[in-house]
Amino acid sequence: MDLPNTAQNNQNRAAVTPVAAVTTPGRTGVFTRSTEPATGEPSRLHAAAPLGPLPAPRALTVSLVIPAKNEARNLAWVLGEIPDCVDEVVMVDGRSRDATLLMASICRPDIRFVAQSGTGKGDALRAGFASATGDIVVMIDADGSMSAREIPHFIHFLTHGYDFVKGSRFIAGGGSLDITPFRRTGNWALLQLVNKLYDANLTDLCYGFCAFHRQFLDLLDLTADGFDIEAQMTVHALKAGLRIAEVPSLELPRRSGRSNLHAIRDGNLVLKSVLRDRQRRHRTRSALDLLHLPYAGRRELATHHG
């Protein structure tokens, strides 16, 4: 009985093994590890890459960053919602005067605290991102308006080829039990501006439930100190050419206490940030940078067409 042509089979299989996807505005492409058809030699782009199937994907670790200031009454519910897929919880304390730190340590003994040196939500999140160690970083608020049970949906897209995933209250399956008509109108107006400036089709802008691969943190180039951090993350992800996905999310009312959000003041802050960033040069990633995507993200790109 003739044996199968193993060498030829391996060469054919290598020729269609995906490594990474490139996304730029209006274009999506896939790099493959291939051989030159005429010579059988490895292609020059991936000459050093081994042929054959990719290694088995390793499990990506997940860090959850929660900025908190005087949220002791909300933390039992917030921390109790965290799913098992989260490996690390980082709480950034904005010099709380209540029992925030004690309550967090009781509810989650493995929680890691970061003391905020500056002020504002953006400053707190930047400190938390810098301290996180997971492959994936997720951010939620400490007021109970977001359920950490939704985190697996974000991780699903991050392990299926996307770089940055944001929650949306305004797509099928999402919603808000808290937003006022005035805030909804302001969010819509700012969203239309961003979609127009960056040729995007996003459905939500000022919502702070986001997740991303930590290796892209430098590309996000975050500088905002206030509530404009959420819009800045989205704008900078667009400018950097990151592949963005939106997932439905339900915004809940704050469980207790008063919000620090001021619609007019913070809306103006977001507007100034968007216009300022439009004029600002931004670093972009090259095609070869994409080869460092986690294996779990690479392997799925062959079958994902979103």
Side-chain angles (χ1 to χ4, degrees):
M1 180 175 65
D2 293 335
L3 295 176
N5 190 335
T6 304
Q8 183 64 40
N9 289 343
N10 286 341
Q11 178 176 328
N12 292 339
R13 183 168 62 250
V16 296
T17 303
V19 175
V22 178
T23 301
T24 57
R27 183 179 66 182
T28 300
V30 176
F31 280 125
T32 60
R33 288 194 306 204
S34 61
T35 56
E36 299 292 348
T39 65
E41 296 298 323
S43 64
R44 282 172 292 179
L45 177 61
H46 300 299
L51 298 179
L54 290 170
R58 67 178 180 85
L60 300 182
T61 56
V62 178
S63 293
L64 176 61
V65 176
I66 309 174
K69 182 178 181 180
N70 300 325
E71 299 286 2
R73 288 180 291 176
N74 299 319
L75 288 179
W77 185 86
V78 172
L79 298 177
E81 292 282 290
I82 297 176
D84 292 339
C85 62
V86 173
D87 301 283
E88 175 186 59
V89 180
V90 178
M91 176 166 288
V92 185
D93 178 58
R95 294 183 289 276
S96 296
R97 297 184 300 274
D98 65 1
T100 291
L101 296 178
L102 177 60
M103 183 63 69
S105 62
I106 292 174
C107 296
R108 185 89 187 195
D110 62 339
I111 198 168
R112 189 154 61 84
F113 294 107
V114 173
Q116 182 179 358
S117 58
T119 59
K121 182 179 182 180
D123 179 83
L125 283 171
R126 290 190 289 110
F129 295 159
S131 181
T133 62
D135 300 305
I136 290 173
V137 179
V138 186
M139 55 183 267
I140 64 171
D141 292 345
D143 59 3
S145 61
M146 305 165 186
S147 173
R149 292 186 184 274
E150 295 179 358
I151 290 176
H153 302 306
F154 290 72
I155 295 175
H156 171 80
F157 281 89
L158 288 173
T159 55
H160 284 72
Y162 285 89
D163 308 318
F164 182 87
V165 182
K166 58 191 298 296
S168 173
R169 299 162 290 181
F170 307 122
I171 55 177
S176 177
L177 303 178
D178 181 62
I179 194 169
T180 64
F182 182 76
R183 286 173 49 211
R184 183 186 294 268
T185 301
N187 182 79
W188 179 87
L190 291 166
L191 177 67
Q192 300 313 304
L193 175 62
V194 169
N195 281 340
K196 180 69 174 179
L197 291 176
Y198 297 99
D199 191 24
N201 293 292
L202 300 175
T203 63
D204 203 347
L205 180 66
C206 303
Y207 188 51
F209 204 158
C210 301
F212 56 91
H213 287 288
R214 186 168 59 89
Q215 63 185 3
F216 295 133
L217 178 59
D218 287 343
L219 283 178
L220 290 177
D221 195 20
L222 301 175
T223 58
D225 290 329
F227 282 97
D228 53 328
I229 185 72
E230 297 148 0
Q232 187 183 68
M233 290 180 72
T234 300
V235 168
H236 286 192
L238 288 167
K239 292 181 70 173
L242 300 186
R243 191 175 186 191
I244 300 173
E246 289 185 306
V247 298
S249 180
L250 176 63
E251 182 183 35
L252 303 169
R254 166 182 274 274
R255 298 186 68 82
S256 66
R258 296 183 59 183
S259 174
N260 294 316
L261 176 68
H262 297 277
I264 297 177
R265 181 197 66 190
D266 294 317
N268 287 331
L269 188 64
V270 171
L271 175 61
K272 292 177 181 178
S273 177
V274 169
L275 295 177
R276 181 176 61 248
D277 285 341
R278 178 62 177 172
Q279 304 300 323
R280 182 182 176 192
R281 297 187 63 182
H282 194 90
R283 289 171 292 173
T284 57
R285 61 183 184 173
S286 67
L288 292 179
D289 289 336
L290 292 167
L291 302 181
H292 301 294
L293 278 172
Y295 281 124
R298 297 182 195 172
R299 293 175 64 87
E300 299 293 344
L301 290 171
T303 57
H304 186 76
H305 303 290

